[in-house]
Amino acid sequence: MAIDAQEPPRGWVPVEHRVLGLDRRTFAPALTVLVIALALIYGLPALNAAIPWHDEVRAGDVLDLGNGATAVPPVGWHLESGTLVGREQVDPIHLQALLASGGATVELRGAAFDGTAQAFLDQVERSQGDDVPGVDGSRATLTTDAGVVGVARSTTGPGGDGLDVAFKVAVGADGPAEAAPALLVRVRTAPGRFERYRGEVAALLRSITPEAGR
């Protein structure tokens, strides 16, 4: 005599796979989803907060230019790259720092250059002429509050407005020297927006201080 086997009801879970009435085979996928959700909710914000190159500049922050030279970045701007004083040692020859705010960026680059600030700016323009946004402006000298003298050149055009300032930042008490590390401050804004940031850029430039002036 044949016995008809009855199919288990839909959703039925064998006893060996049940824990407290739940299908334990679903635990691993559910746990994976939970871990991913927690990482998205809590992990990414914590990671962003821990990365210094996404810092928003706060009052009292000072940018390290190497060998004791410093600059004060504008409050509220974002430090995309670079090092604040007290975080790690900075080599002025390989300095790379970038500040950003809305439609403006300020890049600070260090280099080894045996010559004047004027000659350094000449070399920068020859090697990176394509980066100049438009119509050439006249050159002028700029002196920081600490007495560091730089050479500035502004540009404007359909691609945006710009300002390049070259310095020789001496180390020690003997003042600027041709063998001192060179510093280029490169400002770029959207077309017609430089005036909006002029005050903050000027304050940053005036704040550049060598070790001897601290």
Side-chain angles (χ1 to χ4, degrees):
M1 177 178 176
I3 300 176
D4 295 333
Q6 295 184 352
E7 293 185 2
R10 181 175 298 178
W12 180 80
V13 178
V15 174
E16 62 270 20
H17 294 304
R18 278 183 283 176
V19 176
L20 299 177
L22 301 175
D23 187 350
R24 66 183 182 184
R25 293 172 297 182
T26 65
F27 287 1
L31 182 60
T32 301
V33 172
L34 178 61
V35 170
I36 293 174
L38 291 175
L40 292 174
I41 295 172
Y42 299 105
L44 292 182
L47 179 62
N48 288 336
I51 298 176
W53 48 85
H54 292 305
D55 282 349
E56 180 175 314
V57 175
R58 297 175 175 82
D61 285 346
V62 178
L63 191 62
D64 193 339
L65 304 182
N67 280 351
T70 60
V72 180
V75 174
W77 285 49
H78 290 274
L79 182 62
E80 302 293 336
S81 63
T83 302
L84 297 178
V85 169
R87 288 191 172 176
E88 61 185 62
Q89 189 173 1
V90 175
D91 180 357
I93 303 303
H94 300 100
L95 170 70
Q96 293 282 344
L98 179 65
L99 296 156
S101 177
T105 61
V106 176
E107 184 179 9
L108 299 97
R109 303 180 190 172
F113 184 79
D114 190 5
T116 65
Q118 184 95 267
F120 178 55
L121 187 57
D122 289 340
Q123 176 175 285
V124 168
E125 292 178 356
R126 286 194 302 268
S127 62
Q128 302 179 6
D130 291 340
D131 193 37
V132 177
V135 180
D136 292 347
S138 59
R139 289 191 178 187
T141 59
L142 183 153
T143 304
T144 74
D145 292 342
V148 181
V149 179
V151 180
R153 174 173 170 267
S154 60
T155 55
T156 185
D161 299 335
L163 175 68
D164 288 344
V165 188
F167 296 94
K168 297 301 296 292
V169 184
V171 179
D174 296 332
E178 291 191 0
L183 172 67
L184 176 69
V185 182
R186 170 159 287 180
V187 184
R188 295 292 182 263
T189 74
R193 301 295 296 275
F194 183 82
E195 287 300 321
R196 175 180 176 180
Y197 302 99
R198 179 183 292 274
E200 293 172 304
V201 170
L204 183 149
L205 292 170
R206 290 196 307 268
S207 74
I208 293 175
T209 305
E211 182 180 17
R214 294 174 63 190

